[in-house]
Amino acid sequence: MAEQEAFEDNSADIVVAHDPAANEADPAEGGRGHKPPLVLRVYQRLLAQISAGEYQPDQKLPGEYELADRFLVSRPVVREALGRLREEGLIYSRRGAGSFVKARPAESRALVGYAPVETIADIQRCYEFRLSIEPDHAYHAARRWNGPALDAITAALDLLRDATQAHRHREDADFAFHLAIAKASNNHYYISSMQALKDHIAVGMKFHGTSLLGPRSGLTDVLEGHEAIYDAIRRRDAEKAKAVMRRHLEGSRDRVFEGKMLDLAL
């Protein structure tokens, strides 16, 4: 059964005409604690799921009735959220068949391939590689993001915030956050690398998530790290975004290995 995500529904959110400018958070505003309109929240959830690869190119999205039931909102709210995704070229519709995810150019190319993770040493190597590229993802994302790209990062961060409040670690939302940053960099080489590394990163995130749920939970600290990355990107502070991404990844690696790195010398 699909997981339900409860939003606060009310008639005002349903009857007010959609205004994209009104729905998008002002980058100059802090935004934390502000609950966006229902249409934007449904849009952001679907955007995060598409970004995380939960729905593949040309895969059909659930119907309006199912989405309304899942998000506990009305069908007009769902219809408007789907309309925004359609306007931005992220989905397309077939008459009488529903809505489908649209393949974008960077995603239709053959992906880079990497050997699978087989050992603990491979997890360390994956962290090394991520540290060599993801700080630059954040740097360029801070300089290049547009509204939809920032919405995708925001959506993933909202999922992480909800999971932290429920004392859970969501690897899918974590990956969606990092992938959304790569997409905001507007560099298809970064995007392809992250997509090819999805399964590899998932292994490290599983170990990391386990370490966060121990007696001394680190979920709040990790969320604050994600929020610091988001804030630097939103404020277009590229150097800070790069630095906080590096600290975030180093912290994740050190928690997994408990500060005891393997000697990978030949």
Side-chain angles (χ1 to χ4, degrees):
M1 180 179 292
E3 180 181 352
Q4 287 189 327
E5 300 186 41
F7 299 156
E8 292 178 5
D9 201 347
N10 59 67
S11 59
D13 288 305
I14 296 172
V15 300
V16 174
H18 175 50
D19 181 356
N23 273 347
E24 284 192 10
D26 185 343
E29 297 294 331
R32 289 193 213 164
H34 170 68
K35 193 175 289 294
L38 289 175
V39 170
L40 181 56
R41 286 175 66 81
V42 173
Y43 160 83
Q44 287 177 337
R45 291 297 194 270
L46 291 173
L47 180 61
Q49 290 169 348
I50 292 170
S51 297
E54 292 183 32
Y55 298 109
Q56 297 298 312
D58 297 317
Q59 181 177 349
K60 183 179 178 180
L61 293 176
E64 289 182 6
Y65 282 108
E66 183 177 343
L67 289 173
D69 183 60
R70 178 183 303 180
F71 296 122
L72 301 181
V73 297
S74 64
R75 284 182 63 208
V77 168
V78 170
R79 193 175 301 121
E80 195 166 343
L82 291 173
R84 178 167 178 179
L85 290 169
R86 192 176 304 108
E87 289 171 4
E88 292 172 359
L90 298 173
I91 65 173
Y92 63 95
S93 297
R94 294 176 183 165
R95 185 178 296 276
S99 297
F100 299 78
V101 176
K102 186 174 183 180
R104 284 173 285 181
E107 295 169 349
S108 60
R109 303 185 181 99
L111 292 176
V112 177
Y114 295 106
V117 172
E118 297 180 339
T119 66
I120 296 297
D122 286 342
I123 296 176
Q124 181 172 317
R125 293 184 180 102
C126 186
Y127 272 110
E128 286 179 358
F129 186 58
R130 293 182 67 192
L131 279 162
S132 73
I133 61 172
E134 289 197 55
D136 284 341
H137 296 182
Y139 176 90
H140 292 297
R143 300 184 64 185
R144 298 172 181 169
W145 63 261
N146 61 7
L150 191 65
D151 280 344
I153 302 172
T154 303
L157 182 60
D158 284 345
L159 293 176
L160 288 168
R161 190 176 290 120
D162 292 344
T164 299
Q165 291 173 351
H167 196 68
R168 295 171 54 207
H169 181 254
R170 285 191 57 173
E171 291 87 2
D172 59 339
D174 202 337
F175 181 76
F177 179 82
H178 288 268
L179 180 60
I181 290 172
K183 290 183 177 182
S185 74
N186 193 28
N187 185 323
H188 62 264
Y189 296 106
Y190 288 159
I191 299 167
S192 294
S193 292
M194 288 297 290
Q195 290 172 327
L197 283 170
K198 181 177 180 180
D199 291 340
H200 307 68
I201 291 173
V203 176
M205 285 183 172
K206 279 285 185 186
F207 280 97
H208 185 225
T210 300
S211 73
L212 294 175
L213 298 175
R216 289 165 40 182
S217 174
L219 286 170
T220 300
D221 289 342
V222 171
L223 176 62
E224 289 174 353
H226 284 115
E227 289 176 332
I229 296 167
Y230 171 80
D231 283 344
I233 290 172
R234 180 176 56 81
R235 296 179 186 281
R236 298 200 184 275
D237 189 337
E239 291 294 346
K240 185 173 181 180
K242 183 175 184 177
V244 293
M245 176 64 85
R246 173 167 290 278
R247 286 199 299 272
H248 170 70
L249 291 174
E250 288 173 341
S252 173
R253 177 202 62 192
D254 291 347
R255 277 185 289 271
V256 169
F257 288 92
E258 297 180 341
K260 301 171 184 176
M261 303 297 292
L262 302 177
D263 183 358
L264 300 182
L266 295 172

